[in-house]
Amino acid sequence: MKKVILCPNLYKDKEFRVTREAKQLLEEAGFAVKISPEYMDEMPDALPADLPICELADVIDGASLVVSLGGDGTIMHTARRMIGHQIPILGINLGTVGFLAELEYADLDRMVSAAQGNYQLSPRMMLDVSLRRRGEIVYSNFALNDVAMHGVGQIIRMTACGDGRKILEYSGDGIVVASPTGSTAYSLSAGGPLVEPTAENIILTPICAHALIARSFVLAPDRVVTVKVSDLRSKAFISVDGGSFEVEDEDVLIVRKADHRTFIANVGTKAFYDIVFEKLGDAK
């Protein structure tokens, strides 16, 4: 019996209504179903007594599919929990835009077909992120979308390098270092390019730069990107797929291609270009 894991976002499916529907559909089709909610440490009182709630690490071995119920942020959270496991993720969008989620709630029945193996694997490059402070690594994480360095209340000064060679030096609100999957997120809103999500590149995009020559760069995947912050006069943070960590003056952000990938189960018939125009608005 194949095993499918449901990972609902407790903030978007608070009463587990969609989770229960998905569980019933899968069990009727002969699948063993495990449930491992996202953010359950933040909402322990929301866990129902009648559903078998599991830690993902305890049930992920042997699973054939992980279904993320929420939005893009939920999928990114699930992807970080699955580091080291090459199991495809199928996203059911319960949020707003949802670039990563393959299906909407109205298409929930198509989840069963995906669980039966009717999908194409869409491998996604991830970013290995760390922060160096006075010669020591004080923070490390993985990102499916991006890492952003940004100031609070005042502009910050940054120097971005690729393999030790200077690419950009400017003052501004911050910088986004994105994967191709993240090119449709913060990087795009800051003026960055659209990159096909299955490509392998590292994208640097300045945020509100106080320099006309500060433009977005698309780099080769084997570059090691560093961003040093200097002359810091107020608080600044790095945000890794939404989670944040405070930065100090002279800290160095280090970003490289991760050894791990995320695999998205692609069940749709729409091309990336169609999804972009559908989600962002066709100009025609």
Side-chain angles (χ1 to χ4, degrees):
M1 181 181 292
K2 288 186 177 181
K3 179 169 60 178
V4 176
I5 303 174
L6 301 178
C7 295
N9 182 330
L10 296 183
Y11 292 97
K12 297 182 182 296
D13 191 24
K14 291 183 179 180
E15 297 180 357
F16 288 81
R17 181 176 64 85
V18 180
T19 301
R20 294 176 193 276
E21 288 185 42
K23 179 175 180 292
Q24 181 176 348
L25 286 170
L26 288 166
E27 288 180 339
E28 288 176 351
F31 293 93
V33 179
K34 301 295 182 180
I35 301 172
S36 180
E38 303 294 340
Y39 313 111
M40 64 179 175
D41 291 342
E42 302 173 18
M43 300 177 65
D45 295 338
L47 301 179
D50 62 324
L51 288 178
I53 303 300
C54 309
E55 292 287 345
L56 187 60
D58 295 335
V59 295
I60 195 168
D61 288 340
S64 59
L65 184 70
V66 171
V67 180
S68 175
L69 300 162
D72 283 359
T74 311
I75 294 175
M76 289 185 283
H77 195 272
T78 302
R80 289 198 299 276
R81 294 172 70 201
M82 291 175 57
I83 291 293
H85 297 275
Q86 297 185 356
I87 300 169
I89 301 173
L90 175 68
I92 309 293
N93 184 34
L94 306 181
T96 51
V97 178
F99 270 97
L100 286 170
E102 277 289 307
L103 299 176
E104 302 294 328
Y105 168 66
D107 306 315
L108 190 63
D109 58 338
R110 295 180 61 189
M111 170 194 61
V112 174
S113 178
Q116 292 168 339
N118 298 314
Y119 62 81
Q120 291 185 331
L121 276 182
S122 178
R124 304 297 179 89
M125 169 184 158
M126 297 187 76
L127 300 175
D128 185 328
V129 179
S130 58
L131 188 71
R132 188 174 66 222
R133 179 175 298 160
R134 293 184 288 276
E136 295 185 3
I137 300 299
V138 295
Y139 175 88
S140 60
N141 207 337
F142 294 96
L144 176 58
N145 256 17
D146 54 41
V147 52
M149 179 182 283
H150 53 90
V152 177
Q154 289 186 342
I155 63 174
I156 58 176
R157 184 159 189 82
M158 294 149 290
T159 303
C161 298
D163 294 342
R165 302 187 67 122
K166 186 166 67 176
I167 301 174
L168 292 167
E169 185 172 15
Y170 66 96
S171 294
D173 285 0
I175 191 170
V176 183
V177 186
S179 70
T181 296
S183 72
T184 55
Y186 197 175
S187 175
L188 178 66
S189 67
L194 286 167
V195 180
E196 286 193 299
T198 53
E200 295 198 346
N201 297 101
I202 297 177
I203 304 155
L204 299 183
T205 304
I207 306 170
C208 298
H210 287 218
L212 292 175
I213 60 172
R215 292 290 184 267
S216 187
F217 278 78
V218 179
L219 307 180
D222 58 351
R223 296 284 178 257
V224 177
V225 174
T226 58
V227 182
K228 182 177 181 179
V229 60
S230 57
D231 300 326
L232 195 59
R233 300 177 185 179
S234 64
K235 286 189 176 183
F237 294 86
I238 56 170
S239 298
V240 182
D241 278 356
S244 64
F245 187 84
E246 189 168 355
V247 173
E248 295 182 4
D249 196 33
E250 302 296 317
D251 280 0
V252 179
L253 173 66
I254 305 167
V255 184
R256 53 169 55 90
K257 176 185 173 182
D259 292 333
H260 312 287
R261 290 183 180 185
T262 291
F263 293 89
I264 301 296
N266 188 333
V267 299
T269 58
K270 294 180 180 178
F272 168 66
Y273 327 105
D274 297 326
I275 295 172
V276 167
F277 285 118
E278 178 183 299
K279 299 292 184 179
L280 298 179
D282 196 334
K284 293 187 296 182

